[in-house]
Amino acid sequence: GAAVHTGTLPSKTLRESALYLSGYRARELYGVAVELDPEATVQRLMSRQQAIAAAEAATIRANLETHRITSFTGEARIVGPHTVAIGGRDLRAEVILIATGSQPRRPAGIDFTDPAIHDSDSVLKLVQLPASLTILGAGVIGCEYACMFAALGVPVDLVDPRPDILSFLDHEFVHRLSAAMERLGVRLILGRGWKDVRRGGGAIETTLDDGPVLRAEHLLFAAGRVGNTAGLGLEALGIGPDSRGNIAVDSDYRTAVPSIFAAGDVIGFPALASVSMEQGRVAVCKAFGFSYKQSVHSMMPYGIYTIPEVSAVGETEESCQARGIDYVIGRAAFADNPRGKISGDLEGMTKLIADAESGRLLGVHVIGERACELVHIGQAVIHMGGTIDVFIEMVFNYPSLADSYKYAAYGCLQAMAARKPATPA
């Protein structure tokens, strides 16, 4: 599906290729300039992501064969509570699970037949680097692609009607990432929407809702996705998708038809590959009465593969304030960490949010390379109900970025101590 062929893995592979081929890390660390051959660069970028997708697809097929799962290829319709029609035959089953995923939203007012106008699927088919790029939509996909192309030297305008990018993140990290993206060469045009996109004068012209016109060689529309439910025949069964093509399910991932379940992007938020897999597992356990894996844990980490990476789990400062939680924070900058100095990852930071009284860990926020790996250390501690003392007691490899947890924990400890009244002499 999209995770392998058009979404998660291809975009992350392109990111790593862009970092390597652009010499981004080298020029940050050593001041080395790398000259890019635009045509050769795109060929290498695409061949790498295609190789990764093919390898992962082969792994999935092998897993199906190992478990003696029969697969059918073709367009399918659900024609009854227990029947799927495909390729001129009917398949009957006790349970049907819909996991058809999603696709990029394509509003009617934008001409996607123009070879210079892309969505997040078709942008993977670029044959050469654009001279300039406008991206509409500063969600996760828009921000990730903005960073990739900017790292390769493409001037990027990133437009969104919302006042900030990725507002679900801790606001301190929103501002840190915004500043890093601007240093990378992304021009953020926020709080301003668009009212028209058309070809004009050899370029793609985007008219903003307050009048100015942006001109770029190519445009990427990255504002939303819709569920892949068209043509499945769901309406006839009483399973009516909403305006975004998403299917409503209960806590067991069961639709309005008891024998039909749905999981993944096709049910909407949060539409994360990691969570979608868990939803599918829970749906199957519920469908067949298995006693394990009864729910998807409410604590879901976010991994955003921008440059630099950002990952977060648990409470933000803003959510603590909204919920009236008394909290303290501790920060550890990678610039003060020896591994950060060695790798040149001087923008990075680990930030911990803890309960002000008990020290129980509430939230973990990491920005910098390998953030999406590092966050799971803190996630495990939150999951087990641990306190910042866990990090104080732990021995970390030296030098390592993971050691930033200890110093962020000391920051929380210091903040807790500062709040306590002084002991009388």
Side-chain angles (χ1 to χ4, degrees):
V4 174
H5 295 288
T6 60
T8 308
L9 296 187
S11 64
K12 280 49 174 181
T13 304
L14 284 173
R15 177 188 185 276
E16 291 302 310
S17 300
L19 284 171
Y20 178 76
L21 290 171
S22 69
Y24 172 77
R25 292 190 180 112
R27 68 174 179 259
E28 287 294 301
L29 189 55
Y30 305 110
V32 176
V34 178
E35 283 294 323
L36 287 172
D37 176 350
E39 293 187 13
T41 298
V42 171
Q43 291 168 8
R44 291 178 202 163
L45 286 169
M46 296 309 171
S47 65
R48 179 63 178 158
Q49 74 89 5
Q50 289 158 6
I52 295 295
E56 186 63 14
T59 299
I60 293 169
R61 288 193 200 96
N63 195 36
L64 294 175
E65 292 171 4
T66 297
H67 291 85
R68 299 187 298 279
I69 296 169
T70 304
S71 62
F72 297 83
T73 301
E75 289 193 20
R77 285 177 58 83
I78 302 175
V79 295
H82 299 279
T83 308
V84 175
I86 179 172
R89 63 181 297 173
D90 287 347
L91 305 178
R92 291 190 57 80
E94 179 183 345
V95 171
I96 296 170
L97 172 64
I98 302 170
T100 49
S102 64
Q103 61 185 307
R105 184 171 72 92
R106 286 190 161 196
I110 297 179
D111 180 15
F112 287 95
T113 64
D114 190 305
I117 296 178
H118 314 276
D119 61 25
S120 56
D121 285 359
S122 64
V123 74
L124 295 169
K125 298 180 175 67
L126 273 171
V127 294
Q128 64 181 32
L129 284 176
S132 55
L133 179 66
T134 298
I135 300 179
L136 303 183
V140 172
I141 294 171
C143 288
E144 288 180 348
Y145 275 112
C147 290
M148 289 180 220
F149 283 103
L152 290 165
V154 177
V156 176
D157 286 339
L158 181 59
V159 185
D160 199 286
R162 293 166 292 191
D164 289 304
I165 63 170
L166 311 177
S167 58
F168 56 86
L169 292 175
D170 186 277
H171 287 187
E172 178 183 357
F173 275 49
V174 170
H175 300 316
R176 283 184 170 274
L177 178 59
S178 297
M181 290 173 67
E182 288 176 331
R183 286 193 295 271
L184 191 62
V186 178
R187 183 167 69 140
L188 298 176
I189 303 173
L190 303 175
R192 300 161 75 184
W194 55 89
K195 60 183 180 181
D196 186 54
V197 174
R198 64 178 65 248
R199 176 169 287 281
I204 304 301
E205 297 182 344
T206 302
T207 304
L208 302 182
D209 54 15
D210 59 346
V213 177
L214 305 177
R215 302 181 79 255
E217 185 183 27
H218 284 252
L219 178 137
L220 168 60
F221 185 85
R225 296 179 68 85
V226 294
N228 287 326
T229 49
L232 286 180
L234 300 180
E235 292 82 359
L237 297 171
I239 308 173
D242 64 17
S243 61
R244 286 294 185 101
N246 296 327
I247 300 171
V249 295
D250 63 16
S251 59
D252 293 344
Y253 299 98
R254 196 185 306 265
T255 70
V257 177
S259 60
I260 300 178
F261 292 71
D265 284 17
V266 77
I267 67 172
F269 180 85
L272 299 169
S274 55
V275 177
S276 296
M277 295 178 203
E278 295 297 286
Q279 291 171 344
R281 293 175 178 122
V282 170
V284 169
C285 289
K286 293 290 188 178
F288 294 102
F290 300 150
S291 59
Y292 51 88
K293 198 61 186 176
Q294 291 297 294
S295 65
V296 177
H297 200 281
S298 60
M299 184 178 62
M300 298 175 290
Y302 287 97
I304 300 135
Y305 293 84
T306 43
I307 301 174
E309 287 180 22
V310 179
S311 193
V313 65
E315 303 288 350
T316 64
E317 285 200 64
E318 292 71 34
S319 67
C320 284
Q321 292 162 9
R323 296 176 59 187
I325 298 172
D326 194 12
Y327 68 94
V328 293
I329 60 174
R331 302 179 182 88
F334 290 3
D336 298 328
N337 177 288
R339 186 64 182 268
K341 290 185 175 78
I342 291 167
S343 64
D345 191 3
L346 306 182
E347 292 178 323
M349 171 183 284
T350 297
K351 176 179 179 178
L352 305 181
I353 299 177
D355 183 87
E357 184 64 31
S358 66
R360 183 169 62 89
L361 188 63
L362 302 175
V364 178
H365 308 270
V366 187
I367 186 169
E369 290 305 297
R370 302 293 176 257
C372 295
E373 304 287 347
L374 287 169
V375 75
H376 295 301
I377 299 172
Q379 181 187 12
V381 174
I382 297 176
H383 190 83
M384 301 303 292
T387 69
I388 56 170
D389 291 334
V390 173
F391 304 124
I392 301 297
E393 297 298 328
M394 284 176 68
V395 177
F396 291 91
N397 283 329
Y398 181 89
S400 70
L401 292 175
D403 195 37
S404 63
Y405 272 97
K406 184 180 290 288
Y407 290 92
Y410 278 129
C412 289
L413 212 59
Q414 187 175 23
M416 290 170 68
R419 295 164 64 95
K420 294 177 180 177
T423 304

